[in-house]
Amino acid sequence: MRRSGRVGGGAVLALVVLLGGCSRPEPRPAPTGAGSTSVSPGPSATARLPGFVVLTDLDPRIHADIRYATAHNFVGRPITAYHEPLCLLTRQAAEALRRVQDAALAGGHSLKVYDCYRPQPAVDDFVAWAKRPGEQQTKAEFYPDVAKSRLFADGYIGAPTAHSRGSTLDLTLVDEPAASQPPYASGQPLVACTAPRGQRFADNSIDMGTGFDCFDTRAHTADPGITGTARDNRRLLQRLMTDGGFVNYDREWWHYSFRDEPYPDTYFAAPVARSSVG
């Protein structure tokens, strides 16, 4: 899925590198709907996103915790092109997610999204960060057992992210009504994302066995070391999302792509902002 591609006149799409949230090469869902066969060149940060919506406008029942618009992520600061803490998705993916939310609520849960559409400049920001070995402010939480110098060799970095196509998202489940979540405070002591739920960051997600964006094999959806309630919760999320037309990336329990995505070969660059849609 993260291979280089060709554009119209034979121009080659430059490989880009992604780290964190869909960082390894995940399989592309087989698309059955109409989609663009070109690749967005992506240099314009002012271009609109065709057919995209703000998810919480379409369904305000869905919770949002857009980590890359904040300092609470593996880089340790807001990411380039995340101008607002919004979940932008293609309308098709958002409408499918609304149906998943109906099913989740019927079981006493709600969806909570961490990341949705991810602009190409944000991916470029990840690339630049990966090349600066001294920047490891959040290692203790997000990659406690992996040396940053090993992130390429160990497969935590891949080529273009499905998030830039607009129908992929990272999410979890929360109990409904959702418990409050303490805000992340810059400089607070960091705890490994693999620590027990009561010790790691107090995310109001139900227990999934690790925190979000955890660079560890325990984040694999079916990792055998995840048992009991956490295993059941991952299976519940997977069942809800699969029934709703989404496909899980098996190395990240939080990552799902809409099977019938409308832009299977297009990567966009417009910023995460309300002005980018409509």
Side-chain angles (χ1 to χ4, degrees):
M1 187 192 97
R2 303 193 187 285
R3 298 183 296 272
S4 60
R6 294 191 177 273
V7 183
V12 178
L13 169 66
L15 280 175
V16 293
V17 181
L18 164 69
L19 180 60
C22 328
S23 53
R24 309 172 185 86
E26 84 268 18
R28 181 201 297 273
T32 58
S36 169
T37 58
S38 65
V39 178
S40 171
S44 174
T46 60
R48 294 291 185 95
L49 297 168
F52 281 56
V53 298
V54 177
L55 176 62
T56 50
D57 287 352
L58 187 71
D59 192 339
R61 304 171 301 171
I62 297 176
H63 301 269
D65 181 9
I66 308 301
R67 295 288 183 86
Y68 297 146
T70 76
H72 190 207
N73 58 62
F74 66 90
V75 175
R77 55 167 171 75
I79 304 303
T80 297
Y82 278 80
H83 295 181
E84 300 176 65
L86 298 173
C87 170
L88 308 184
L89 288 172
T90 61
R91 179 171 292 276
Q92 295 91 327
E95 290 179 344
L97 202 65
R98 177 166 58 182
R99 294 188 289 271
V100 176
Q101 174 73 349
D102 290 337
L105 288 171
H109 298 98
S110 176
L111 301 177
K112 184 176 85 166
V113 294
Y114 293 115
D115 190 39
C116 301
Y117 161 68
R118 185 181 304 162
Q120 182 59 48
V123 179
D124 296 340
D125 195 7
F126 291 152
V127 172
W129 174 85
K131 294 178 179 179
R132 296 191 292 267
E135 295 185 13
Q136 301 193 46
Q137 296 93 323
T138 63
K139 174 178 171 55
E141 178 174 353
F142 293 97
Y143 50 109
D145 299 319
V146 180
K148 187 176 180 181
S149 62
R150 292 289 307 170
L151 292 175
F152 283 92
D154 290 353
Y156 287 97
I157 297 179
T161 172
H163 281 275
S164 296
R165 304 198 299 259
S167 295
T168 291
L169 68 158
D170 299 332
L171 80 169
T172 189
L173 291 168
V174 299
D175 288 324
E176 192 61 39
S180 62
Q181 177 175 303
Y184 172 78
S186 180
Q188 73 182 59
L190 299 179
V191 178
C193 56
T194 54
R197 184 188 183 203
Q199 298 176 24
R200 62 180 184 260
F201 176 74
D203 191 319
N204 62 357
S205 169
I206 62 176
D207 188 12
M208 293 293 184
T210 75
F212 166 62
D213 252 3
C214 190
F215 299 168
D216 192 277
T217 58
R218 282 165 283 190
H220 295 187
T221 307
D223 182 80
I226 303 300
T227 60
T229 299
R231 176 191 58 200
D232 294 343
N233 288 341
R234 290 186 185 190
R235 289 176 175 174
L236 172 60
L237 177 62
Q238 187 170 27
R239 177 178 60 79
L240 289 168
M241 294 297 286
T242 300
D243 289 350
F246 291 84
V247 178
N248 175 240
Y249 173 44
D250 63 3
R251 293 189 178 185
E252 296 172 348
W253 61 257
W254 53 81
H255 173 103
Y256 286 84
S257 294
F258 184 50
R259 183 180 296 278
D260 294 334
E261 61 179 302
Y263 300 111
D265 296 295
T266 303
Y267 299 83
F268 296 97
V272 176
R274 187 171 292 276
S275 60
S276 295
V277 304

